[in-house]
Amino acid sequence: MLRLASYNIQKCVGLDFRRLPRRILQVLDRVGAQIVVLQEADKRLPPRPAALPHFVLDEAGWNIVDLGGAGSLGWHGNAVIWRGEGVHELETGQMALPGIEPRGAVWVSFDTPIGPLRVVGTHLGLLSHSRQQQVMHISRHIQGLPEMPTVWAGDFNEWSRQPVLDHLAPQMRFLPPLPSFPSPQPIGPLDRIALGPGLQATGHGVHSDRPAHIASDHLPIWADIQAG
């Protein structure tokens, strides 16, 4: 089994307006995931330096996927970090997404204890039409890659609990949406995880233990995944 998590870290600025990268890592330690997809991992303005510094991650034993950003942690704010025995990074890629806002997605293929796994991380747009375009774009792009069990994770910015996005990527199975935003009293299921063929979740949830309630405006979500 492998635990994967997704967390919009809001540039490490908490609801107390303090930028505390190590507080974010404290939350991640308690989530207990081997692979974590992050959103808003870089500061907003060029050259978009990492909001969660590389040396802080190194000190905590996290490996950082190099997604091509000079000084950044990720690409379009999307980053992937990992640690633990049996997980090894293989290949990476990026996708510029359509829509009014500049948005992107990244993918990383791994060897893992449950076998080969491709992880897609994204942060979709605020407009419904853009999100639909972006999901279809990711779906087409991933289907053009060599076949591999695939999981999508990220901030999908979708408030509806209805299967609004699911039918746009019929090869993926979105886990039941759970409220993760805003972190003190979550009502919006903005953060999502979807599994492709050959994968199943033995459990999934939202991590709300302190200090997650204040470390970011989102709570992290997680899923325990196995082949099947």
Side-chain angles (χ1 to χ4, degrees), residues 19-178:
R19 189 185 300 276
L20 296 175
R22 287 184 174 85
R23 182 167 62 185
I24 293 294
L25 293 188
Q26 183 181 359
V27 174
L28 291 179
D29 282 344
R30 294 178 178 178
V31 174
Q34 290 105 309
I35 299 175
V36 180
V37 175
L38 300 172
Q39 302 86 49
E40 298 193 26
D42 300 320
K43 297 179 183 178
R44 184 176 300 276
L45 298 176
R48 294 182 67 90
L52 185 54
H54 290 66
F55 77 89
V56 174
L57 287 161
D58 290 341
E59 289 173 355
W62 287 98
N63 299 285
I64 303 166
V65 176
D66 183 0
L67 294 166
S72 300
L73 187 62
W75 190 72
H76 278 280
N78 300 292
V80 182
I81 58 176
W82 58 274
R83 67 181 180 184
E85 294 183 5
V87 179
H88 303 283
E89 176 188 336
L90 299 175
E91 294 182 279
T92 68
Q94 305 168 343
M95 291 169 265
L97 299 181
I100 295 176
E101 312 161 76
R103 296 280 179 169
V106 298
W107 62 265
V108 186
S109 57
F110 291 96
D111 268 336
T112 77
I114 64 170
L117 181 69
R118 180 179 293 117
V119 176
V120 177
T122 192
H123 188 180
L124 300 188
L126 297 174
L127 300 179
S128 175
H129 181 65
S130 292
R131 290 196 295 274
Q132 293 176 22
Q133 288 181 309
Q134 290 158 3
V135 167
M136 289 188 291
H137 184 92
I138 294 170
S139 180
R140 288 193 298 266
H141 184 100
I142 296 303
Q143 288 186 67
L145 298 176
E147 188 172 335
M148 182 181 294
T150 297
V151 55
W152 296 7
D155 180 353
F156 282 73
N157 262 321
E158 180 57 62
W159 286 80
S160 176
R161 295 172 186 263
Q162 301 303 312
V164 175
L165 302 175
D166 304 41
H167 70 282
L168 302 173
Q171 79 279 15
M172 303 299 296
R173 185 178 74 261
F174 282 79
L175 299 181
L178 300 172

